[in-house]
């Protein structure tokens, strides 16, 4: 009887969840029927992973030849303790991913979550509310907030696009509106409920805000809410509720923006709104579109970034080089009843050369791990019978075994975690009292040195489990949906900066800039010395050098600049102070140095790590 009651409760919750999840699809008149797919070899033994109270699991290693890994999976269903003060209740269901960051720059982390009743919450790590929060907006909210320092004051601003008359909001940490915000994403209808991305798009030292809309445009505003030159740009179809990816794809020192739309096209724009050569590209069958956010990584270790995007109708994972040429071995078709809505995750899952990418199909769900060449990892994919996955991935070593685990939520009330070989992580799945559409975030919420997992649930709670294993950035390949708090969707090696530049760049004309810091590590200050080398002697005249210093979270610490009027060797001194004149704490910092000529043309730039010790 207990099992029947649990099953009945699960069915009721699942029906409610499905109605909410499918509502936008019905409104937008997307295709209502799809053919269910089954493995080609019906004689293959298939054990199904069902709800949390079911312990059987399926691990299919090769659907093409019908072989099975033969591994069994057992679920501990033993929930670790939650942090003191957690879980925290919400008025509605928190569908969006929790964002965790030090919004007030006081040395402690805060947790921010939205719910589907229009509330935006901010709690301290102990569960107490941050002053001024929650904020109420009279509209259903399904997207997470984006965190980034817009005004370079050291505090993080909170940005949220909504369907509230297409408004995009920006607040300071104390819940007061940022000057110039909210802005309106067009006046032709539609909704700006897509997730925002924060990045310095025009390279002026200040972060900008980038948002897609179902009014079929991509917008970009500066910190004052003013549209950047060249923006907005139109798309053929609406932009589904996902964050654009940003990265320097062509190594020219400026950022590109990548987004997919519901016409099944993937676009790449330069920072000024001009379309990159070779783009847009039509992918898939042309119906159902590209719903997950595209992700970017140097997956094959060739010092060039690749773009990954998933199409809905044909369940294809596509991969291109920055010029639009396909990556060898791709696209790859994923089994399942429907396409993908989950944002992929990228990381080094198995310690083999190159990176792996994690994919999940929406319904009749398969969770798949793919090598650089598009082949499946041993033990994958995993078939989750009858489950629906709206959640997105996190990837981290959550048990201190030196290997990455993959985490994702499901509408059977469970947060799953698998080892690199597809076997369930010890003690998983973790259960909540409702479906999990929210995506997990991995962080050290209370800064005690061990790891926490945060996720929202349809039980109207935000849960934060306290794991006993050590938290280090080096153990986390993909911390959260969209990769980071600024939603860059860009994979960076663990422990590196959140800055979009993670390699040296060569400027046009064959110039090569290099610089070093001495001393490094430092205590009171360090000198930044740069050298520009070129076969063209006329290119050696540096008129200005500018150093932008970030912490490991990608937060801008300070900007230094100097008109040098030197020919080839130049220097700046960083005294270890932030922009407020306060000495930065011990830790790792990243210095991005830019050199330009008298006309303002950049001659080169590169990134270096600096370490401050007490």
């Amino acid at each position: 009887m207990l099992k029947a009651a649990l099953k009945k409760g699960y069915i009721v919750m699942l029906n409610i969840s499905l109605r909410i999840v499918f509502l936008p699809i019905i409104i937008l008149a997307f295709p209502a029927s799809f053919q269910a797919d089954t493995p080609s070899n019906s004689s293959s033994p298939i054990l199904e992973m069902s709800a949390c109270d079911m312990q059987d699991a399926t691990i299919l290693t090769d659907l093409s030849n019908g072989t099975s890994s033969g591994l069994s999976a057992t679920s501990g269903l033993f929930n670790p303790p939650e942090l003191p003060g957690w879980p925290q209740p919400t008025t509605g269901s928190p569908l969006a991913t929790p964002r965790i960051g030090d919004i007030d720059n006081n040395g402690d982390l805060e947790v921010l979550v939205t719910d589907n009743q229009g509330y935006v919450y901010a709690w301290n790590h102990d569960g107490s509310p941050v002053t001024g929060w929650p904020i109420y907006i009279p509209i259903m909210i399904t997207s997470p907030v984006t965190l980034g320092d817009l005004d370079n004051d050291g505090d993080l601003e909170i940005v949220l696009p909504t369907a509230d008359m297409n408004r995009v909001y920006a607040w300071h940490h104390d819940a007061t509106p940022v000057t110039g915000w909210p802005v309106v994403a067009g006046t032709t209808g539609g909704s700006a409920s897509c997730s925002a991305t924060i990045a310095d798009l025009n390279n002026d030292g200040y972060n900008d805000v980038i948002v897609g809309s179902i009014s079929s445009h991509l917008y970009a505003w500066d910190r004052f809410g003013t549209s950047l030159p060249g923006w907005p740009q139109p798309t053929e179809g609406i932009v589904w509720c996902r964050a654009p990816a940003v990265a320097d794809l062509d190594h020219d020192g400026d950022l590109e923006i990548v987004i997919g739309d519901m016409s099944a096209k993937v676009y790449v724009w330069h920072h000024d709104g001009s379309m990159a050569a070779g783009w847009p590209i039509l992918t898939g069958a042309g119906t159902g579109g590209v719903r997950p956010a595209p992700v970017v990584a140097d997956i094959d270790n060739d010092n060039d970034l690749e773009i990954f995007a998933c199409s809905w109708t044909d369940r294809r994972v596509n991969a291109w080089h920055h010029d639009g040429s396909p990556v060898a071995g791709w696209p790859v078709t994923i089994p399942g009843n429907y396409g993908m809505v989950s944002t992929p995750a990228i990381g080094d899952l198995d310690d083999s050369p190159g990176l792996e990418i994690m994919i999940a199909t929406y319904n009749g769900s398969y969770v798949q791990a793919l090598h650089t060449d598009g082949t499946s990892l041993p033990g994958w994919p995993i078939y989750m019978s009858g489950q629906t996955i709206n959640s997105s991935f996190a990837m981290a070593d959550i048990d201190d075994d030196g290997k990455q685990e993959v985490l994702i939520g499901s509408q059977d009330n469970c947060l799953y975690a698998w080892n690199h070989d597809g076997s369930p992580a010890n003690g998983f799945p973790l259960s909540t009292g409702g479906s999990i559409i929210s995506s997990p975030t991995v962080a050290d919420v209370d800064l005690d040195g061990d790891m926490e997992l945060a996720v929202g649930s349809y039980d109207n709670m935000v849960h934060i489990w306290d794991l006993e294993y050590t938290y280090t950035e080096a153990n986390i390949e993909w911390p959260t949906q969209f990769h980071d708090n600024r939603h860059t969707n860009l994979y960076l090696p663990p422990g590196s900066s959140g800055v979009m530049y993670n390699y040296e760049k060569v400027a046009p004309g064959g110039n090569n800039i290099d610089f070093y810091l001495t001393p490094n590590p430092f205590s009171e200050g360090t000198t930044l010395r740069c050298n520009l080398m070129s076969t063209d002697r006329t290119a050696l005249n540096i008129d200005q050098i500018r150093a932008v210093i970030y912490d490991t979270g990608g937060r801008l610490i300070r900007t230094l600049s100097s008109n040098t009027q030197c020919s080839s060797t130049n220097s700046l001194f960083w005294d270890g102070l932030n922009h407020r004149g306060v000495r930065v704490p011990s830790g790792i910092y990243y210095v991005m140095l830019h050199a330009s000529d008298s006309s303002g043309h950049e001659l080169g730039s590169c990134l270096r790590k600096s370490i401050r010790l007490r």
Side-chain angles (χ1 to χ4, degrees):
M1 292 181 64
L2 175 61
K3 186 172 182 179
L6 290 173
K7 185 175 181 182
K8 180 179 179 181
Y10 159 69
I11 293 172
V12 171
M13 182 62 70
L14 182 59
N15 287 338
I16 295 172
S17 304
L18 288 176
R19 283 199 295 271
I20 293 176
V21 171
F22 277 109
L23 181 60
I25 301 176
I26 295 171
I27 292 174
L28 297 173
F30 294 141
S33 62
F34 295 87
Q35 294 296 320
D37 289 345
T38 56
S40 57
N41 188 342
S42 60
S43 63
S44 301
I46 298 178
L47 298 175
E48 297 178 349
M49 181 174 297
S50 55
C52 267
D53 60 324
M54 303 293 288
Q55 301 302 308
D56 293 335
T58 295
I59 303 176
L60 297 174
T61 58
D62 190 348
L63 290 174
S64 62
N65 62 23
T67 60
S68 172
S69 68
L71 294 175
S72 63
T74 57
S75 302
L77 288 180
F78 170 73
N79 282 10
E82 298 208 33
L83 278 184
W86 299 89
Q88 278 296 320
T90 53
T91 302
S93 296
L95 310 183
T97 306
R99 288 283 161 252
I100 299 171
D102 183 7
I103 62 173
D104 52 8
N105 200 22
N106 69 347
D108 291 322
L109 297 180
E110 288 76 46
V111 180
L112 294 97
V113 174
T114 63
D115 74 14
N116 63 1
Q117 294 299 309
Y119 287 91
V120 185
Y121 301 86
W123 296 282
N124 296 302
H125 72 272
D126 61 1
S128 61
V130 177
T131 302
W133 302 85
I135 290 174
Y136 175 71
I137 300 171
I139 200 73
M140 178 179 181
I141 303 175
T142 60
S143 297
V145 298
T146 312
L147 306 182
D149 188 356
L150 297 181
D151 51 13
N152 288 354
D153 67 350
D155 301 332
L156 298 179
E157 278 66 54
I158 298 98
V159 177
L160 179 66
T162 72
D164 176 28
M165 300 177 66
N166 298 353
R167 290 190 179 103
V168 181
Y169 292 87
W171 301 282
H172 294 292
H173 71 273
D174 59 1
T176 58
V178 176
T179 301
W181 300 79
V183 297
V184 177
T187 58
T188 57
S191 167
S193 60
C194 303
S195 300
T197 298
I198 294 178
D200 182 5
L201 192 57
N202 59 359
N203 210 14
D204 67 349
Y206 289 90
N207 278 320
D208 308 300
V209 176
I210 309 157
V211 176
S213 170
I214 66 171
S215 61
S216 300
H217 281 84
L218 187 69
Y219 295 85
W221 300 278
D222 66 14
R223 64 190 186 279
F224 302 115
T226 303
S227 292
L228 293 178
W231 300 93
Q233 286 295 325
T235 56
E236 183 173 325
I238 69 171
V239 178
W240 193 248
C241 303
R242 298 295 184 263
V246 289
D248 182 9
L249 297 175
D250 54 9
H251 295 208
D252 68 349
D254 294 315
L255 296 178
E256 279 71 46
I257 304 173
V258 186
I259 197 67
D261 72 3
M262 297 306 288
S263 74
K265 286 186 177 179
V266 177
Y267 302 79
V268 176
W269 289 278
H270 295 296
H271 70 285
D272 59 2
S274 60
M275 189 68 68
W279 302 89
I281 293 176
L282 179 66
T283 182
T287 58
V290 176
R291 302 192 183 188
V295 294
V296 177
D298 180 10
I299 198 169
D300 53 7
N301 199 30
D302 65 351
N303 202 33
D304 203 9
L305 294 174
E306 287 77 45
I307 299 166
F308 293 82
C310 303
S311 51
W312 172 265
T313 303
D314 55 8
R315 307 180 312 282
R316 291 203 308 182
V317 185
N318 306 273
W320 303 278
H321 298 290
H322 74 272
D323 60 1
S325 59
V327 177
W330 303 81
V332 174
T333 300
I334 306 299
N337 294 355
Y338 295 91
M340 290 79 82
V341 297
S342 303
T343 299
I346 292 179
D348 186 2
L349 188 58
D350 64 353
D351 292 333
S352 66
L355 303 173
E356 284 71 47
I357 182 168
M358 295 301 309
I359 305 292
T361 50
Y362 171 70
N363 186 264
S365 302
Y366 288 80
V367 180
Q368 175 65 300
L370 299 171
H371 282 298
T372 299
D373 59 4
T375 59
S376 297
L377 269 69
W380 301 85
I382 294 171
Y383 177 46
M384 303 178 66
S385 174
Q387 301 310 312
T388 300
I389 295 180
N390 280 275
S391 179
S392 294
F393 292 99
M395 188 185 298
D397 179 7
I398 61 171
D399 56 9
D400 259 354
D401 67 350
K403 301 285 188 180
Q404 295 287 302
E405 282 73 46
V406 176
L407 301 102
I408 198 167
S410 175
Q411 286 190 256
D412 63 356
N413 305 359
C414 293
L415 177 63
Y416 288 89
W418 296 282
N419 298 309
H420 69 282
D421 60 2
S423 61
N426 186 38
F428 281 82
L430 306 181
S431 61
T432 67
S435 298
I436 300 177
I437 294 176
S438 171
S439 302
T441 295
V442 181
D444 182 5
V445 177
D446 55 2
L447 299 181
D448 67 346
D450 59 25
M451 189 173 294
E452 281 82 45
L453 299 179
V455 75
S457 170
Y458 250 95
D459 60 5
N460 290 10
M461 293 281 186
V462 177
H463 299 266
I464 302 182
W465 290 285
D466 190 6
L467 305 185
E468 62 183 9
Y469 300 106
T470 303
Y471 174 91
T472 63
E473 291 184 356
N475 288 346
I476 303 174
E477 294 280 306
W478 193 273
T480 185
Q481 183 187 29
F482 310 137
H483 183 269
D484 49 67
N485 283 339
R486 288 180 294 127
H487 295 180
T488 65
N489 286 303
L490 171 65
Y491 170 82
L492 296 172
S496 67
S497 167
V499 185
M500 265 62 71
Y501 313 91
N502 65 326
Y503 44 77
E504 296 182 22
K505 291 170 289 300
V506 178
N511 305 325
N512 184 16
I513 187 171
D514 192 14
F515 81 96
Y516 60 94
L517 300 100
T518 180
N520 191 23
F522 71 95
S523 176
E524 299 302 318
T526 184
T527 299
L528 290 61
R529 301 188 185 277
C530 72
N531 186 37
L532 181 71
M533 298 165 285
S534 174
T535 55
D536 180 4
R537 299 297 299 176
T538 63
L540 290 177
N541 294 318
I542 299 177
D543 186 71
Q544 186 182 56
I545 56 175
R546 180 168 63 95
V548 186
I549 303 166
Y550 301 86
D551 64 14
T552 56
R555 179 182 301 175
L556 191 144
I557 299 298
R558 192 170 176 187
T559 299
L560 306 171
S561 63
S562 174
N563 292 321
T564 63
Q565 300 294 339
C566 294
S567 59
S568 60
T569 303
N570 316 272
S571 66
L572 286 171
F573 180 74
W574 180 35
D575 54 10
L577 304 182
N578 63 17
H579 61 90
R580 291 179 171 178
V582 177
R583 191 165 301 282
V584 298
S586 298
I588 297 173
Y589 297 88
Y590 292 86
V591 183
M592 172 60 69
L593 188 136
H594 304 265
S596 57
D597 62 19
S598 58
S599 300
H601 297 133
E602 186 168 302
L603 301 174
S605 60
C606 65
L607 183 73
R608 287 289 182 267
K609 180 188 293 186
S610 178
I611 301 174
R612 181 178 180 268
L613 302 177
R614 292 188 186 276

